[in-house]
Amino acid sequence: EETAESRLTYAAFISYSHADNREEGRKWADWLHHELETYEVPADLIGKSNRAGKPIPAQIYPVFQDEKELSASSNLSSALTTALDASACLIYLSSPQSARSVYVSQELRHFKQTGKSDRMIALLLAGEPEYGKESTEQQCFPEVLRFRVDASGAIDTNVSEEPIAADARIPGTQEQGFTTPEAYRRQLQQDRKLS
């Protein structure tokens, strides 16, 4: 009998603002997509059970990134919903731009509505995750990520949720880091305060 698990096509769905995928050395979605799909899972872990009791696969493949998977002529809404439903987890590239994106919020909401809120991971690119009900311009976690979403899609601001998150910001700042050592080197050379 086919189960929801057996219908999963994608290991992960990358949810992001396209503005965070433009600058050379900071094309975060492209970088993450490549790193995940080419990651070599340690041989001694392959086939062992993870915490959910599922066998660890030999690779993290395929990973859904809309700019790579969808043609310009496709029905975006339907294609994205199908990809979200077929994804084991969602990786949210967190920045003030993505926090304000209507499309990103819709992706996060849909993923949570399907009961997979415990399978969401955030990668902090820029800004600050703020957990109060009030937000500043630097807020990088949208309301739909910070609070519970029920099956109808309604946000319950009385129930906080905090996703697992990794931080790719420059240490001690709210600024984006870099996806390559070369891009970081160029930035350091442009900084007149450094010798």
Side-chain angles (χ1 to χ4, degrees):
E1 188 174 312
E2 189 177 46
T3 65
E5 277 304 312
S6 67
R7 289 190 303 269
L8 295 178
T9 303
Y10 298 104
F13 181 104
I14 301 173
S15 182
Y16 63 103
S17 167
H18 289 191
D20 293 322
N21 201 44
R22 290 190 182 130
E23 185 182 342
E24 202 56 50
R26 288 181 165 160
K27 292 184 177 184
W28 289 100
D30 290 351
W31 170 82
L32 183 61
H33 184 264
H34 177 264
E35 292 298 311
L36 289 173
E37 287 197 338
T38 61
Y39 177 73
E40 292 185 29
V41 175
D44 60 325
L45 294 179
I46 298 170
K48 289 189 177 174
S49 293
N50 62 20
R51 289 184 184 174
K54 307 275 189 268
I56 296 173
Q59 61 186 123
I60 303 170
Y61 183 87
V63 174
F64 183 89
Q65 179 190 353
D66 64 352
E67 290 177 296
K68 300 231 184 288
E69 307 291 332
L70 300 177
S71 67
S73 62
S74 67
N75 179 341
L76 291 180
S77 179
S78 174
L80 289 174
T81 300
T82 300
L84 284 162
D85 291 341
S87 296
C89 68
L90 180 143
I91 303 168
Y92 165 61
L93 300 186
S94 174
S95 72
Q97 292 93 326
S98 62
R100 290 188 292 268
S101 169
V102 172
Y103 301 111
V104 169
S105 288
Q106 288 172 350
E107 292 167 0
L108 299 177
R109 182 186 309 266
H110 181 82
F111 202 77
K112 281 187 156 189
Q113 276 181 269
T114 60
K116 298 189 282 188
S117 63
D118 62 335
R119 297 181 188 184
M120 297 174 80
I121 303 164
L123 178 60
L124 295 166
L125 303 182
E128 191 64 41
E130 300 162 349
Y131 281 94
K133 291 187 181 181
E134 301 296 319
S135 295
T136 69
E137 286 295 312
Q138 289 303 306
Q139 173 61 275
C140 64
F141 279 8
E143 186 176 66
V144 69
L145 186 70
R146 297 189 323 267
F147 299 103
R148 188 175 86 71
V149 173
D150 66 21
S152 72
I155 297 172
D156 183 353
T157 57
N158 295 314
V159 182
S160 294
E161 290 188 346
E162 187 171 338
I164 294 172
D167 197 343
R169 298 173 297 177
I170 295 173
T173 73
Q174 295 179 2
E175 297 176 35
Q176 274 192 39
F178 299 89
T179 58
T180 66
E182 182 56 36
Y184 187 44
R185 186 178 298 111
R186 280 194 307 269
Q187 181 64 33
L188 290 173
Q189 289 169 342
Q190 291 174 2
D191 190 339
R192 302 287 183 219
K193 294 177 266 179
L194 298 173
S195 64

